[in-house]
């Protein structure tokens, strides 16, 4: 399992892309997707919602369990991935590409996000 070097990671197993015009893309890591099992339902934050770093903003349901989705940053949601809502298995098959979850205009970025190497050490893989 390889965590893309250009992303940053939370200890809740979400990833965050670099900002483009103040907007970042959020998803869950391959490690989290594998731990969840086959994702069958995704409840994502809606466009216009405000999300807060470290707080619940959605839910992913798999054949194994239900898991809260946490935002790694504070800001306003600018897009939700309808493809994932329509086909939640994208979270498993392409967690770093088509399985992204939402985009957020970042108001405040926490200082404790991890680099890819730090996340790999934290998650043990």
């Amino acid at each position: 399992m390889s965590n893309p070097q250009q992303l940053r990671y939370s200890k809740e197993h979400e990833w965050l892309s670099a900002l483009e015009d103040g907007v970042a893309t959020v998803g869950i890591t391959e490690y989290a997707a594998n731990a969840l099992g086959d994702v069958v339902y995704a409840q994502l934050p809606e466009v216009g919602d405000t999300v807060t770093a470290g707080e619940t903003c959605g839910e992913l349901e798999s054949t194994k369990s239900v898991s809260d989705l946490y935002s790694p940053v504070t800001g306003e949601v600018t897009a939700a991935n309808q493809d994932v809502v329509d086909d939640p298995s994208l979270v498993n098959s392409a967690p770093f590409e088509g399985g992204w979850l939402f985009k957020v205009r970042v108001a405040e970025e926490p200082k404790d996000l991890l680099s890819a190497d730090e996340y790999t050490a934290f998650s043990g893989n």
Side-chain angles (χ1 to χ4, degrees):
M1 198 175 323
S2 177
N3 297 304
Q5 292 292 319
Q6 74 275 18
L7 302 177
R8 284 169 293 150
Y9 301 85
S10 74
K11 291 185 176 177
E12 287 80 25
H13 307 287
E14 281 84 24
W15 58 261
L16 180 76
S17 71
L19 298 179
E20 292 183 30
D21 296 325
V23 176
T25 303
V26 175
I28 68 166
T29 64
E30 186 174 4
Y31 173 83
N34 288 339
L36 271 172
D38 295 333
V39 177
V40 296
Y41 173 76
Q43 177 203 352
L44 304 178
E46 296 182 11
V47 173
D49 286 354
T50 298
V51 294
T52 303
E55 293 191 8
T56 303
C57 64
E59 184 177 275
L60 295 174
E61 184 177 326
S62 72
T63 54
K64 291 182 181 179
S65 67
V66 175
S67 180
D68 287 332
L69 174 64
Y70 296 91
S71 180
V73 293
T74 297
E76 181 181 341
V77 176
T78 62
N81 189 348
Q82 187 62 43
D83 290 342
V84 165
V85 173
D86 294 341
D87 181 7
S89 70
L90 287 171
V91 172
N92 299 105
S93 64
F96 296 114
E97 295 90 24
W100 64 272
L101 302 176
F102 63 95
K103 295 183 183 226
V104 59
R105 182 166 306 286
V106 177
E108 183 180 335
E109 190 173 324
K111 304 291 185 228
D112 61 350
L113 292 176
L114 307 173
S115 69
D117 293 338
E118 291 167 331
Y119 179 74
T120 298
F122 169 76
S123 63
N125 61 71

